[in-house]
Amino acid sequence: MSVTNEAEKKKVIFSAIQPSGTITLGNYLGALRNWTALQDDYQCIFALADLHTITVRQEPTKFRHNALEAYALLLACGINVEKSLFFIQSHVHTHAELAWILNCYTQFGELSRMTQFKDKSTKHADNINVGLFTYPSLMAADILLYQADLIPVGADQKQHLELARDIAERFNRIYSPTFVVPQPYISKTGARVMSLQDPTKKMSKSDENANSCVAVLDKPEDIMRKFKRAITDSDGLIAYGEEKDGINNLMGIYACVTGKTNEQIETEFSGKGYGDFKTAVADAVIAHLQPIQEKFSHYMTDKAYLEKCYIESAEKALSISNRTLRKVMKKIGFIPKTY
């Protein structure tokens, strides 16, 4: 990422995603597609948050494979390392170092109120580890290291961003202004993609029903099958409305990948049945994902290029984040490094 006077004036956006398995259509339409649209207007810093992933036990070989696949897939989705930084979190040691420091400026009660900790503790009752509890402090370090102005957030991350803001303000009060206090960035075009089998719930890769979730790398025949089995309702009318969660979800997906409005969709499918509509949605999704899948396959055959991208981004990220970390340590009173 070239640094110019113009780039320095741009606001900084930071966002990260875990490489914990399948990247879903919901991840893509709700967040990743929007990341790529931000790169011309903001100084974007993106991370593959592998340190966050190990709060749940990982099988090492699969973990490494998932991380490399996720990196390649995000490049295929449109992250441009000529415009943005895109690094692997564990390659930039300042994240773990600042996370420990911020642990000491985060209150036990604040962390215990985090809804994700409560949810994950229920799901992983056999492994309620300290990392699961202090996860939000690491997230705060991720954000604050880069003096990020804006953080793209969904509904499930608002609480974590609020905590990061609280920590930044607390540290600034104690030691004088040190961190930029980040603001949420709410995308104008984001989509909340729901489960195909229970459209009252968000699409999730952890759903036990395989037909509920479409993965970005799913084969065309699998995408078609899942959409054909999508839950709708009994009135047979393709129109956006109350108590039509299934159709609303399908219309939202179709709108995202075609650019059509709800009114245009209703007109297009006037007099047609749900079967025709489900097939059309599947066809549109398949066509939209095809170039991404082709780019992904190309990147996965060029491991040297992937390594070049994540190493160069990590080196630049370390240089940026080290400036913040050293400032923090100096204000606290640590003996400064002379090497």
Side-chain angles (χ1 to χ4, degrees), residues 190-207:
R192 184 171 171 82
V193 179
M194 313 304 283
S195 163
L196 297 182
Q197 293 298 305
D198 183 357
T200 64
K201 296 179 180 179
K202 188 177 177 181
M203 182 179 285
S204 172
K205 56 194 169 189
S206 61
D207 198 308

Side-chain angles (χ1 to χ4, degrees), residues 1 38 166 185 188 222 244 251 260:
M1 180 175 65
L38 299 171
D166 290 343
Y185 176 86
K188 299 174 183 177
D222 293 329
K244 290 178 68 67
M251 288 180 68
K260 295 179 180 179

Side-chain angles (χ1 to χ4, degrees), residues 26 38 75 111-112 155 190 200 231 302:
L38 299 171
L75 290 182
L111 293 179
S112 64
T200 64
I231 298 297
D302 193 351

Side-chain angles (χ1 to χ4, degrees), residues 152-163:
V153 290
D156 56 345
Q157 295 296 333
K158 287 181 180 178
Q159 192 181 29
H160 286 163
L161 178 57
E162 283 302 315
L163 179 63

